[in-house]
Amino acid sequence: MSEILVLVEHVDGDVKKVTLELLTLARTLGTPAAVWAGPGYSDAAKARLAEYGAEKIYVAAADEIGDYVAAPKAEVLAHLVAQRSPAAVFVAATGEGKEIAGRLAIKTDSGVISDAVGVGEGFVAEQSIFGGGVNVRSRVTKGTPIITVRPNSTAPVAAAAAGAEEKVEVALSDAARAARIVERVVQEKGARPELTEAAIVVSGGRGVGSGENFAIIEKLADALGAAVGASRAATDAGWYPHQFQVGQTGKTVSPQLYIAAGISGAIQHRAGMQTSKTIVVINKDAEAPLFEIADFGVVGDLFQVVPQLTEEIDKRK
Ligand code: FAD
């Protein structure tokens, strides 16, 4: 079976969950080969990638790759595409991933499909658009299919593979050195999972009413081991930090379970959460548009419903 390159997302040497998802997806269509670009590679990273099905691991570990924004990683991938002629390249649909994919498409004269929520036979990618109202299936018809896949689209499943390592040396072009990273600010991690990677997200909107009231949302999130999200109305009001905004101009999430409390369901909010597997909506207005895409809906006051839900979940632990 032909090789599918999977670009590894990693932070401080840790392989991000989305990479395990992409390896799992790649296994259904070919032979996954992980591509590590940048410093921080370790035996632990190797073991993790092999555990999730990487038959091969291409390692371009030069420190310099981590010194610049996106472009060096695109050059590493372009080098491998030229050398290995893979069947496809999978990249996480994150901010950096999408930039890398776009650059790679230009370098390899290939088509790119962004924000896929699934990829099937023949590398037909599925995208969910217009607030989840329309599903589009498309296929790259030129060059090597480059597909960015949303985190949480595939459940990661371990399947041990060889993880055969191969060092890759790429001489970076001057263009790749155009934007140097001058500072990295590590955002406070806290005990909760990262929003875009969380299996469960509990979000609050304008209906929450104040920053202090977000404690209700946080309590439910903690009872479920979930991440906290917010609508733009809530972040613009200063009730919750902008980094937790879900939607068109915020983060895109696709968890197994998304609970929205006091959020009306504007198209811009849906754009960031409509591919969630199960959607639960709590809203006192039965006509709130978010109910249209809800799997379960509770028409009620969130100040009553959310604490009761939290209590019930805590009881069952
Ligand atoms: P509202 O629309 O005001 O809804 C509040 C809801 O809370 C109502 O349905 C109400 O019935 C309910 N409610 C009130 N009190 C209670 C209670 N006690 N119990 C239960 N329910 C209650 N929005 C985003 O979220 N993310 C984005 O990324 C984003 N990007 C945007 C980009 C652009 C270019 C534009 C123009 C807009 C964008 N927006 C975005 C804003 C979006 O259009 C909406 O204004 C926003 O999503 C509304 O947030 P909300 O649902 O919290 O507030």
Side-chain angles (χ1 to χ4, degrees):
M1 281 208 286
S2 37
E3 224 170 47
I4 298 170
L5 299 183
V6 171
L7 180 65
V8 178
E9 285 249 335
H10 54 93
V11 174
D12 296 334
D14 286 338
V15 176
K16 302 273 275 179
K17 182 170 143 256
V18 65
T19 301
L20 312 180
E21 296 167 10
L22 296 195
L23 288 171
T24 304
L25 179 64
R27 253 176 20 229
T28 65
L29 300 162
T31 306
V35 180
W36 182 286
Y41 185 70
S42 65
D43 285 348
K46 175 187 169 158
R48 193 98 173 116
L49 296 170
E51 186 190 346
Y52 280 83
E55 289 294 346
K56 231 187 187 152
I57 306 171
Y58 295 106
V59 184
D63 284 349
E64 199 187 21
I65 293 169
D67 290 344
Y68 301 92
V69 180
K73 291 182 179 169
E75 291 200 351
V76 170
L77 282 175
H79 170 84
L80 285 167
V81 167
Q83 297 270 307
R84 306 290 313 182
S85 305
V89 182
F90 290 176
V91 181
T94 55
E96 189 193 32
K98 286 195 249 187
E99 182 172 346
I100 292 168
R103 287 173 179 270
L104 178 64
I106 299 285
K107 284 180 188 303
T108 58
D109 199 17
S110 299
V112 60
I113 297 172
S114 258
D115 276 319
V117 291
V119 184
E121 257 338 288
F123 298 105
V124 173
E126 185 163 338
Q127 292 160 298
S128 178
I129 62 165
F130 295 142
V134 178
N135 276 3
V136 179
R137 289 197 181 84
S138 40
R139 194 164 56 82
V140 167
T141 55
K142 189 179 183 198
T144 306
I146 300 164
I147 303 172
T148 74
V149 183
R150 280 193 180 174
N152 286 313
S153 303
T154 308
V157 179
E165 228 172 82
E166 192 174 312
K167 288 211 162 53
V168 179
E169 306 241 341
V170 178
L172 296 184
S173 70
D174 285 346
R177 297 190 181 94
R180 180 186 271 278
I181 296 168
V182 291
E183 191 186 9
R184 285 176 208 273
V185 181
V186 180
Q187 283 175 347
E188 218 178 292
K189 242 185 173 172
R192 297 191 188 102
E194 207 272 311
L195 180 55
T196 56
E197 295 214 321
I200 305 176
V201 175
V202 182
S203 285
R206 202 195 306 272
V208 175
S210 72
E212 294 75 57
N213 290 349
F214 253 85
I216 297 174
I217 303 295
E218 289 181 332
K219 275 193 191 135
L220 176 56
D222 292 342
L224 290 164
V228 174
S231 73
R232 179 156 159 186
T235 57
D236 276 358
W239 300 344
Y240 221 68
H242 276 284
Q243 79 216 48
F244 298 100
Q245 184 182 311
V246 171
Q248 185 185 313
T249 42
K251 300 265 168 67
T252 300
V253 300
S254 195
Q256 298 297 318
L257 174 63
Y258 187 86
I259 302 178
I263 297 177
S264 62
I267 186 103
Q268 296 90 352
H269 187 80
R270 289 186 191 203
M273 47 64 72
Q274 28 99 10
T275 54
S276 306
K277 300 284 180 304
T278 300
I279 297 172
V280 176
V281 175
I282 302 163
N283 197 305
K284 66 180 184 186
D285 174 10
E287 303 298 319
L290 201 55
F291 280 123
E292 289 163 17
I293 58 164
D295 296 286
F296 299 97
V298 183
V299 179
D301 185 339
L302 73 89
F303 296 104
Q304 289 177 7
V305 177
V306 175
Q308 280 179 35
L309 189 55
T310 309
E311 200 185 313
E312 203 53 45
I313 289 161
D314 279 338
K315 261 195 228 160
R316 285 160 197 245
K317 276 187 189 163

